[in-house]
C-alpha cells in the first residue's frame, strides 16, 4: 500500500433542530470534522468525526503523526495515534455517550483516520469497505425512525418543518412524517425529557398508531433503577428493548434482572474494558455499536464477534452526522452478521435533504427505511468540495466551538439542571 502524503482535517457546521434530551436541547449548529487522507500516488480516502475544539486539536496532532505511514498498516496507524494522544482524555460536553477515558479517547481520534484508510484500500483494490470487513451479509441496512421531543423551532428562528412535539400526539405526528418520508419500519423515542408517566403515554400512543412496528425508548439514564423497573413492567410487550434507563453497569444489571425486555446501552458500555463487568453482571442484552468511539470499523467488527459469543444483540448508535459517517455505518452494519436490530440515524433531522452534506448526492438514499450498500469501491461516496467549503464557512461564522446542550437550554430555562437518575 502507498504511504500517506498529507491529511486535511476540516471542521464544518450545519443546521440542527431544537431536539430535546436529558442533557438539554440541541443548539442551532451541529459540529463535525471531515478527514481526507491522500497517499503519494494521489488516492484519497474520507473519514468523519466530532467537531468540538479539543477533539479537533487531537485530530490535527494525529494527522501530523500519521503522515508518512503506510495507509494499509492498521496497527502502526493505531500506535501512532495513541502516541500523539498520550494520556489525554476527551469527554463529550453533552454527556450522552458515556464516561471518557484515555482508551476511548485514542479510539475516537483513530476512528476517522481508519475509515479514511479503509476507503483508500478499497479504492486501490476495487473493493467496497464492506468487502474488506468480511463481505456483506445484507444488501441494505435498516434504520429506525429516531423520534425526539422538540420545540417548534429555535427561539430566535422561525418554526422548522417538523414543528413541535411536546406530547404523545406530537410524537405520533412526527412519527407519521418520518415513516411517510423514509419508510422506516421501527421506531425509537428519545426520552428522559418529561416525567416517566408522560413518556409511557407516548410509547403507548405509538404502539396504537403503529401496531407491529418494533419500538424502543432511550431516557439516557435519567431514571433510577426503581423507576426503570416500573416503566419496564408497565411497557411489557410494547418494547423490543429498553435503552439506558438507569446509570452504570450495576444500575443496569439491577433493572435487567427485573424487567421482561432486554436492556440496551451506548452509555454504560462504551469501551472494551466495560465488556467483562457488563457480561459478568448480565447488565445488557443489546449493545449499540458506534465506530466513532469504538476505534473504527475493524475494532467494531471485533466487538460484534465478541457479542455473538456471549449472546448479546446489536444495534448501532447515532449522533448528529453527515454522509461520510452514514456510509461508514452502512458498510459496517452490512458486514455484521449478528446485527439484529435496526440502526439509529439522525439523517432525517439534518439539512442533508436541502443539499447541506459534504458528499456528492446520489450515493446514499433511504428505501423502505433502509440504506442500500453503495456499489462503488471504498465507501462508495465522493467529497463535494463546494459543499465542504460552504459548511466550513458556516463553522467559521456560527461561533459554536463545542456542543453544549445544557448551556443552550439554560439560555431559555436558567434553572434547568440535568442529572442522571433524576426521576
Amino acid at each position: 500500500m502507498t504511504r500517506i502524503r498529507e491529511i486535511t482535517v476540516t471542521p464544518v457546521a450545519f443546521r440542527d433542530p431544537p431536539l430535546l434530551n436529558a442533557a438539554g436541547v440541541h443548539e442551532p449548529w451541529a459540529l463535525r470534522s471531515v478527514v481526507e487522507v491522500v497517499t503519494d500516488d494521489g488516492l484519497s480516502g474520507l473519514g468523519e468525526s466530532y467537531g468540538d475544539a479539543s477533539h479537533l486539536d487531537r485530530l490535527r496532532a494525529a494527522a501530523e503523526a500519521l503522515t508518512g505511514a503506510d495507509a494499509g498498516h492498521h496497527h502502526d496507524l493505531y500506535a501512532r495515534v495513541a502516541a500523539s494522544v498520550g494520556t489525554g482524555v476527551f469527554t463529550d460536553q453533552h454527556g450522552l455517550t458515556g464516561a471518557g477515558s484515555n482508551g476511548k479517547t485514542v479510539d475516537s481520534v483513530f476512528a476517522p483516520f481508519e475509515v479514511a484508510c479503509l476507503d483508500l484500500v478499497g479504492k486501490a483494490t476495487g473493493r467496497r469497505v464492506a468487502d474488506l470487513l468480511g463481505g456483506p451479509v445484507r444488501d441494505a441496512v435498516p434504520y429506525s425512525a429516531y423520534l425526539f421531543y422538540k420545540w417548534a423551532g429555535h427561539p430566535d428562528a422561525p418554526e422548522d418543518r417538523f414543528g413541535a412535539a411536546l406530547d404523545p400526539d406530537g410524537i405520533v405526528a412526527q412519527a407519521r412524517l418520518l415513516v411517510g418520508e423514509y419508510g422506516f419500519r421501527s421506531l425509537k423515542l428519545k426520552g428522559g425529557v418529561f416525567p416517566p408517566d408522560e413518556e409511557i403515554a407516548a410509547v403507548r400512543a405509538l404502539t396504537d398508531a403503529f401496531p407491529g412496528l418494533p419500538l424502543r425508548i432511550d431516557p439516557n439514564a435519567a431514571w433510577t433503577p426503581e423507576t426503570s423497573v416500573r416503566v419496564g413492567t408497565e411497557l411489557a410487550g410494547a418494547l423490543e428493548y429498553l435503552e439506558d434507563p438507569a446509570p452504570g453497569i450495576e444500575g443496569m444489571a439491577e433493572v435487567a434482572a427485573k424487567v421482561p425486555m432486554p436492556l440496551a446501552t451506548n452509555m454504560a458500555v462504551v469501551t472494551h474494558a466495560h465488556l467483562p463487568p457488563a457480561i459478568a453482571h448480565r447488565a445488557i442484552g443489546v449493545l449499540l455499536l458506534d465506530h466513532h468511539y469504538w476505534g473504527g470499523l475493524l475494532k467494531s467488527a471485533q466487538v460484534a464477534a465478541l457479542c455473538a459469543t456471549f449472546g448479546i444483540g446489536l444495534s448501532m448508535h447515532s449522533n448528529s452526522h453527515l454522509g461520510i459517517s452514514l456510509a461508514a455505518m452502512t458498510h459496517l452494519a452490512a458486514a455484521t452478521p449478528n446485527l439484529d436490530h435496526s440502526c439509529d440515524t439522525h439523517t432525517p433531522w439534518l439539512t442533508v435533504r436541502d443539499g447541506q452534506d459534504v458528499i456528492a448526492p446520489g450515493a446514499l438514499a433511504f428505501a423502505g427505511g433502509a440504506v442500500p450498500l453503495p456499489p462503488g469501491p471504498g465507501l462508495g461516496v465522493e467529497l463535494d468540495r463546494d459543499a465542504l467549503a460552504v459548511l466550513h464557512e458556516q463553522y467559521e461564522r456560527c461561533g459554536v466551538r463545542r456542543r453544549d446542550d445544557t448551556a443552550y437550554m439554560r439560555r431559555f430555562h436558567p434553572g434547568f439542571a440535568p442529572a442522571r437518575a433524576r426521576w
Side-chain angles (χ1 to χ4, degrees):
M1 190 63 191
T2 53
R3 297 199 172 270
I4 296 173
R5 185 181 73 205
E6 62 179 335
I7 300 177
T8 304
V9 178
T10 306
V12 296
F14 47 95
R15 289 287 184 182
D16 204 2
L19 307 179
L20 297 165
N21 57 56
V25 62
H26 286 208
E27 297 177 81
W29 295 98
L31 305 178
R32 296 295 274 183
S33 53
V34 174
V35 169
E36 184 178 14
V37 177
V38 180
T39 60
D40 55 13
D41 60 359
L43 283 176
S44 65
L46 300 175
E48 180 186 330
S49 188
Y50 314 113
D52 298 87
S54 61
H55 189 66
L56 283 168
D57 289 342
R58 292 190 173 95
L59 290 176
R60 288 167 175 148
E64 184 175 345
L66 290 172
T67 302
D70 189 311
H73 287 183
H74 178 93
H75 298 302
D76 178 54
L77 298 175
Y78 189 87
R80 289 172 181 244
V81 170
S84 75
V85 171
T87 60
V89 175
F90 169 74
T91 303
D92 66 88
Q93 185 68 23
H94 55 97
L96 300 180
T97 56
S101 68
N102 178 252
K104 184 181 175 187
T105 300
V106 173
D107 284 347
S108 298
V109 174
F110 175 69
F113 300 106
E114 184 245 30
V115 170
C117 287
L118 286 173
D119 188 24
L120 277 167
V121 173
K123 290 174 179 176
T125 59
R127 308 294 290 179
R128 299 169 298 180
V129 166
D131 297 322
L132 304 179
L133 299 175
V137 296
R138 55 187 64 85
D139 296 324
V141 173
Y143 287 88
S144 183
Y146 205 162
L147 310 175
F148 283 82
Y149 292 103
K150 67 178 293 292
W151 298 336
H154 286 283
D156 58 352
E159 180 174 334
D160 59 47
R161 77 181 190 92
F162 301 100
L166 298 170
D167 56 24
D169 288 343
I171 290 294
V172 169
Q174 183 185 106
R176 293 193 191 282
L177 174 65
L178 296 183
V179 170
E181 289 190 1
Y182 292 87
F184 292 119
R185 296 173 183 171
S186 65
L187 308 172
K188 172 176 174 173
L189 174 61
K190 176 66 79 175
V193 175
F194 294 111
D197 286 337
E198 295 184 35
E199 297 184 353
I200 289 173
V203 170
R204 287 177 171 156
L206 289 168
T207 301
D208 291 342
F210 299 92
L213 260 62
L215 175 61
R216 58 192 87 154
I217 183 171
D218 171 21
N220 285 124
W223 303 338
T224 65
E226 294 77 14
T227 297
S228 302
V229 170
R230 179 175 70 82
V231 174
T233 301
E234 290 196 31
L235 292 178
L239 299 178
E240 61 171 325
Y241 61 69
L242 177 57
E243 181 180 340
D244 282 312
I249 291 173
E250 291 186 359
M252 292 281 284
E254 181 180 345
V255 178
K258 299 175 182 177
V259 297
M261 70 284 293
L263 298 192
T265 188
N266 72 273
M267 293 181 69
V269 180
V270 296
T271 190
H272 303 77
H274 295 157
L275 284 164
I279 292 168
H281 287 83
R282 301 181 183 273
I284 62 169
V286 179
L287 179 66
L288 275 71
L289 278 175
D290 187 328
H291 75 272
H292 300 93
Y293 59 75
W294 278 96
L297 304 181
L298 291 172
K299 292 188 79 172
S300 294
Q302 293 166 0
V303 172
L306 184 64
C307 287
T309 300
F310 288 95
I312 296 172
L314 287 178
S315 182
M316 191 176 290
H317 170 255
S318 166
N319 207 328
S320 299
H321 62 81
L322 293 169
I324 298 170
S325 282
L326 181 63
M329 293 163 65
T330 299
H331 280 273
L332 174 61
T336 303
N338 55 317
L339 188 132
D340 45 8
H341 298 276
S342 296
C343 303
D344 296 348
T345 179
H346 280 66
T347 294
W349 292 108
L350 307 179
T351 50
V352 293
R353 63 176 284 118
D354 302 318
Q356 285 216 79
D357 201 346
V358 294
I359 63 170
L364 300 171
F366 285 83
V371 176
L373 190 63
L379 290 175
V381 299
E382 296 296 332
L383 188 63
D384 184 330
R385 298 191 182 279
D386 291 338
L388 178 66
V390 170
L391 270 65
H392 177 62
E393 176 62 24
Q394 290 177 173
Y395 172 85
E396 295 292 342
R397 289 189 287 104
C398 75
V400 179
R401 290 298 177 265
R402 66 175 186 175
R403 176 176 170 179
D404 193 340
D405 294 10
T406 301
Y408 186 60
M409 174 67 90
R410 284 175 176 160
R411 286 174 53 183
F412 312 104
H413 299 279
F416 177 74
R420 294 191 178 184
R422 63 184 300 188
W423 281 296

